[in-house]
């Protein structure tokens, strides 16, 4: 296991290439057991486990030119979908400051980034996870050029570590199909500082679909940052942490033994518990919409009638993720379009092992 000190980097200016041009991409992820509540700087209160998506990605191109001497602050320009965005610029500035000790060479360049998502802008899909994971991959590609002797294990762990300093859940977007983030006493190699790959999916979980129903597009009323902070004083904090720790183990068992029913139960319990935490915070709030509940209720009816193993999960928003074996794609499409008469868009993504 690596410690944050292992990621501190020292270099000579002469080692740095004059220019660096590349394209980095990373997908979004969907948590099965959710990260909710922080301790310290982007450290999760509990262990989380997630699926890495395939199609919903951020793709970022970069051109970096070496400066004659390092600048005090990282010099950069960042275009998202061809436009400047002051909110992104502020987030990037904070991110560069946080990673400075671990990737000090970033101050020796003037950077130009151009970024886009393959999923609709402001669709409510976690774009900070894919966005920061793509940036971490770019920075670590430069580091790999300077230190080609670094092991693949170190490279992956540090990429996840850097991504985490941008956005917690981004730690889990740097590889797949399943990633675990946060120290767990019963799972070797887990760390609070970065996520690890877990690769023991039973063949029943070979290809998993994630249809994301876009109930609400645009910015949420209460950000995840605020929600995480409200967990500090939450009356159910300790219980929430211990339940999450147990559920990570139960999830691994279900995924390893191919048990969709057990997996689906945890998935739905976690989605509802995440939202229950929001509803019982002080101040309390609600991110589900009437349409969210309508879809969940219809899904439960549909599952009862058909016995198709289709389950839902939610992020910190109103959108509903339908998770099921990809072999049922056509049935679920028919159900969404004909029976549910959904007037909302949905994105069909998948997790492949
Ligand atoms: O990474 P953040 O700060 O956007 O938090 C994400 C939290 C959830 O999406 C609700 C859960 C998770 O584990 O991804």
């Amino acid at each position: 296991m690596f410690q944050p000190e292992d990621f501190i980097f020292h270099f000579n200016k002469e080692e740095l290439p004059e220019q660096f041009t590349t394209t980095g991409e990373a997908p979004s992820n969907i948590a099965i057991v959710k990260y909710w509540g922080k301790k310290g700087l982007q450290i999760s209160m509990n262990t989380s486990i997630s699926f890495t998506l395939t199609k919903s990605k951020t793709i970022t191109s970069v051109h970096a030119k070496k400066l004659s001497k390092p600048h005090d602050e990282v010099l950069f320009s960042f275009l998202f979908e061809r436009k400047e965005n002051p909110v992104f610029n502020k987030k990037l500035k904070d991110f560069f400051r946080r990673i400075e000790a671990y990737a000090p060479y970033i101050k020796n360049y003037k950077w130009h980034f151009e970024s886009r998502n393959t999923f609709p802008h402001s669709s409510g899909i976690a774009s900070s996870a894919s966005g920061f994971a793509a940036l971490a991959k770019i920075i670590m590609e430069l580091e790999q050029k300077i230190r080609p002797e670094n092991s693949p294990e170190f490279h992956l762990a540090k990429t996840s570590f850097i991504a985490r300093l941008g956005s917690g859940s981004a730690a889990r977007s740097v590889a797949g199909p399943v990633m675990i983030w946060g120290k767990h006493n019963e799972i070797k190699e887990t760390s609070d500082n970065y996520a690890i790959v877990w690769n023991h999916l039973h063949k029943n979980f070979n290809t998993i679909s994630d249809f994301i129903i876009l109930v609400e597009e645009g910015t949420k009323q209460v950000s995840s940052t605020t929600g995480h902070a409200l967990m500090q004083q939450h009356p159910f904090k300790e219980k929430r942490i211990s339940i999450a720790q147990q559920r990570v183990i139960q999830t691994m068992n279900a995924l390893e033994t191919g048990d969709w029913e057990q997996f689906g139960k945890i998935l739905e319990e976690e989605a509802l518990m995440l939202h229950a935490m929001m509803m019982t915070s002080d101040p309390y709030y609600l991110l589900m919409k009437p349409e969210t509940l309508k879809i969940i209720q219809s899904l439960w009816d549909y599952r009862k009638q058909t016995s198709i193993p289709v389950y839902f999960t939610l992020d910190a928003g109103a959108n509903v993720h339908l998770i099921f074996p990809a072999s049922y794609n056509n049935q679920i499409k028919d159900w969404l379009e004909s029976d549910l008469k959904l007037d909302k868009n949905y994105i069909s993504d998948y997790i492949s092992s």
Side-chain angles (χ1 to χ4, degrees):
M1 204 197 302
F2 303 102
Q3 299 303 329
E5 304 79 73
D6 300 327
F7 298 138
I8 291 176
F9 194 88
H10 301 284
F11 67 99
N12 290 322
K13 214 172 94 187
E14 293 67 42
E15 293 179 288
L16 304 180
E18 286 303 317
Q19 313 230 4
F20 174 63
T21 304
T22 193
T23 297
E25 54 175 69
S28 188
N29 69 77
I30 179 70
I32 306 160
V33 177
K34 315 287 179 183
Y35 145 51
W36 201 237
K38 299 183 198 194
K39 48 182 189 196
L41 184 66
Q42 315 276 68
I43 301 276
S44 179
M45 271 175 10
N46 62 274
T47 309
S48 58
I49 181 166
S50 57
F51 285 137
T52 307
L53 299 182
T54 310
K55 291 190 336 202
S56 306
K57 290 191 278 201
T58 298
I59 304 173
T60 303
S61 304
V62 65
H63 179 69
K65 206 167 175 328
K66 193 167 150 186
L67 300 165
S68 52
K69 59 178 187 346
H71 204 262
D72 288 345
E73 270 196 344
V74 177
L75 282 179
F76 72 94
S77 56
F78 187 89
L79 296 184
F80 181 71
E81 281 160 7
R82 296 173 192 274
K83 286 195 222 58
E84 289 254 8
N85 182 323
V87 179
F88 287 180
N89 280 357
K90 159 90 178 63
K91 285 190 178 170
L92 282 168
K93 241 176 153 168
D94 293 346
F95 169 64
F96 289 136
R97 222 172 279 135
R98 284 181 198 161
I99 67 169
E100 217 177 273
Y102 309 104
Y105 44 81
I106 54 176
K107 289 165 123 190
N108 287 63
Y109 288 89
K110 186 169 192 280
W111 299 80
H112 177 68
F113 298 97
E114 295 203 15
S115 188
R116 67 184 174 90
N117 290 341
T118 60
F119 46 91
H121 180 45
S122 287
S123 60
I125 298 188
S127 59
S128 61
S130 52
F132 281 111
L135 278 178
K137 284 187 177 175
I138 287 171
I139 290 163
M140 287 304 293
E141 192 180 318
L142 174 57
E143 182 158 321
Q144 198 65 19
K145 279 195 190 304
I146 312 167
R147 291 279 179 282
E149 65 276 17
N150 279 346
S151 71
E153 294 75 29
F154 177 89
H155 184 83
L156 183 64
K158 186 166 175 184
T159 308
S160 172
F161 173 82
I162 297 277
R164 190 203 99 224
L165 292 172
S167 163
S169 54
R172 300 185 317 239
S173 262
V174 299
V178 174
M179 292 201 87
I180 304 176
W181 170 43
K183 176 90 198 119
H184 195 299
N185 291 336
E186 292 164 54
I187 314 167
K188 262 199 350 221
E189 304 299 323
T190 47
S191 166
D192 279 342
N193 296 304
Y194 53 88
I196 58 166
V197 171
W198 187 81
N199 212 345
H200 305 282
L201 285 175
H202 187 273
K203 63 174 177 15
N204 291 355
F205 287 93
N206 255 356
T207 312
I208 306 158
S209 286
D210 179 1
F211 281 10
I212 310 160
I213 307 175
L214 306 176
V215 172
E216 188 184 39
E217 308 192 21
T219 322
K220 292 174 291 198
Q221 288 131 334
V222 182
S223 70
S224 292
T225 310
T226 307
H228 286 299
L230 291 173
M231 284 307 289
Q232 287 301 341
Q233 304 297 331
H234 201 287
F236 306 146
K237 176 176 165 180
E238 294 311 321
K239 196 70 192 164
R240 160 65 195 151
I241 296 173
S242 70
I243 291 177
Q245 298 311 87
Q246 285 165 23
R247 282 188 183 153
V248 170
I249 300 290
Q250 291 163 354
T251 302
M252 291 163 72
N253 285 337
L255 293 177
E256 206 163 359
T257 57
D259 189 339
W260 266 92
E261 204 177 322
Q262 174 64 7
F263 161 76
K265 181 169 179 284
I266 304 165
L267 190 72
E268 295 192 346
E269 282 171 343
E270 266 295 303
L272 294 178
M273 184 176 273
L274 171 71
H275 285 257
M277 290 297 115
M278 298 173 194
M279 289 187 242
T280 48
S281 290
D282 181 9
Y284 48 84
Y285 65 105
L286 257 172
L287 293 182
M288 287 193 266
K289 296 284 169 203
E291 189 82 18
T292 313
L293 296 179
K294 194 180 138 204
I295 296 164
I296 293 173
Q297 192 57 59
S298 309
L299 172 76
W300 284 342
D301 294 344
Y302 177 73
R303 191 165 72 219
K304 212 163 171 192
Q305 283 160 22
T306 61
S307 299
I308 293 177
V310 50
Y311 299 89
F312 78 88
T313 188
L314 307 167
D315 248 337
N319 297 339
V320 183
H321 289 245
L322 301 179
I323 310 277
F324 54 94
S327 51
Y328 292 104
N329 270 2
N330 288 338
Q331 280 102 311
I332 301 297
K333 262 189 200 133
D334 279 353
W335 171 61
L336 285 178
E337 287 160 19
S338 325
D339 300 353
L340 199 60
K341 297 202 176 28
L342 195 76
D343 63 348
K344 302 282 177 195
N345 288 331
Y346 69 91
I347 293 172
S348 58
D349 209 327
Y350 64 97
I351 296 100
S352 75
S353 42

